[in-house]
Amino acid sequence: GAVVTRVVLRHAPLERVRRRFVVEPALDERVLRTAAAVRGHAWLHWVLDRADETVHALFLDRVDGGPDASDDDNASDSSEVYDGRNFFPYPRALLDRLPRTTSDDDNDTYSAEYALGLEAAATAASELRTAVRASLVEGDGDLDEGAAVIEVKFVRGSPHAPRTAVNHCAAVDAVVACFNIYVPCPPRRWVEAFEATLRRLGGVAHFGKGPQVTVAR
């Protein structure tokens, strides 16, 4: 029999962006809404220890024209093409400021991600701060400096992926906050507090996350 193939072409606008990072003293509503306003062009690394916290934010700033030099010491010096979906590696200047969550000896890792509507993100940050810190005090912390490192990224719903966690949390094209961790196995005690808090607040788990064990030992 005949085979009928249907091809649908959609316009995907390309932008030129420049990577830039900013350090904030706390993950509060202002920081969350500032990051969400750039529509998926921001990722936050929230470093939380027993007494202090820091937020390292990666932004993709739109650039008009070619890859001209930047006057900002915290920005990359050239622009890159971005289609709204491709992931940008974190610049070395940002990675060097973060505590390590895995080491060269950690072959097995555990990851978990929960999505919440933007309106619930500030409450989640406040409750995570309390729960994770309590766990760090009671048990052992992560690697460097006993800190927990939580990534917060911002994405939009998609009508083409109705089963994703994003679409369970918000209407199509609404911004949601995704709280994500990537740690060595077995996960430390604060990870249990992280997941229990987000589940209680209605966070939707990202399917496929969990233990990632290497085959070769």
Side-chain angles (χ1 to χ4, degrees):
V3 176
V4 177
T5 302
R6 180 186 180 188
V7 178
V8 178
L9 300 179
R10 293 184 176 89
H11 174 65
L14 299 179
E15 299 176 294
R16 283 203 167 273
V17 297
R18 182 180 290 117
R19 288 180 291 182
R20 173 177 57 90
F21 67 90
V22 176
V23 178
E24 297 281 1
L27 186 65
D28 55 22
E29 186 169 3
R30 177 189 63 82
V31 172
L32 288 164
R33 291 199 173 276
T34 298
V38 294
R39 301 182 57 144
H41 301 266
W43 295 266
L44 309 178
H45 266 126
W46 185 21
V47 182
L48 189 63
D49 64 22
R50 295 173 179 85
D52 202 2
E53 67 181 282
T54 311
V55 178
H56 302 262
L58 170 64
F59 294 97
L60 301 182
D61 295 330
R62 293 178 177 86
V63 176
D64 294 327
D68 52 343
S70 170
D71 294 330
D72 188 345
D73 292 336
N74 289 329
S76 58
D77 59 3
S78 61
S79 61
E80 302 164 87
V81 175
Y82 184 67
D83 69 2
R85 296 170 300 174
N86 49 308
F87 177 80
F88 272 66
Y90 292 93
R92 174 53 54 187
L94 173 58
L95 292 176
D96 287 344
R97 297 187 182 194
L98 295 174
R100 297 182 65 188
T101 57
T102 60
S103 73
D104 294 338
D105 297 328
D106 291 318
N107 294 319
D108 302 337
T109 58
Y110 178 87
S111 63
E113 181 178 310
Y114 292 83
L116 288 165
L118 181 60
E119 68 282 355
T123 298
S126 177
E127 298 206 17
L128 282 171
R129 182 180 293 108
T130 300
V132 169
R133 276 183 172 160
S135 297
L136 286 174
V137 170
E138 294 173 1
D140 56 348
D142 215 322
L143 292 178
D144 297 350
E145 303 175 5
V149 179
I150 300 171
E151 180 192 56
V152 187
K153 57 188 176 181
F154 301 87
V155 295
R156 287 179 176 269
S158 168
H160 307 297
R163 295 184 179 179
T164 63
V166 169
N167 289 285
H168 285 283
C169 307
V172 170
D173 205 39
V175 178
V176 298
C178 298
F179 291 80
N180 181 61
I181 57 170
Y182 181 79
V183 297
C185 281
R188 289 158 171 81
R189 195 172 305 181
W190 69 264
V191 173
E192 181 179 351
F194 166 86
E195 295 200 67
T197 299
L198 290 171
R199 285 195 298 266
R200 177 171 53 80
L201 294 174
V204 179
H206 186 298
F207 299 113
K209 299 276 186 176
Q212 300 172 17
V213 181
T214 56
V215 175
R217 289 290 190 179

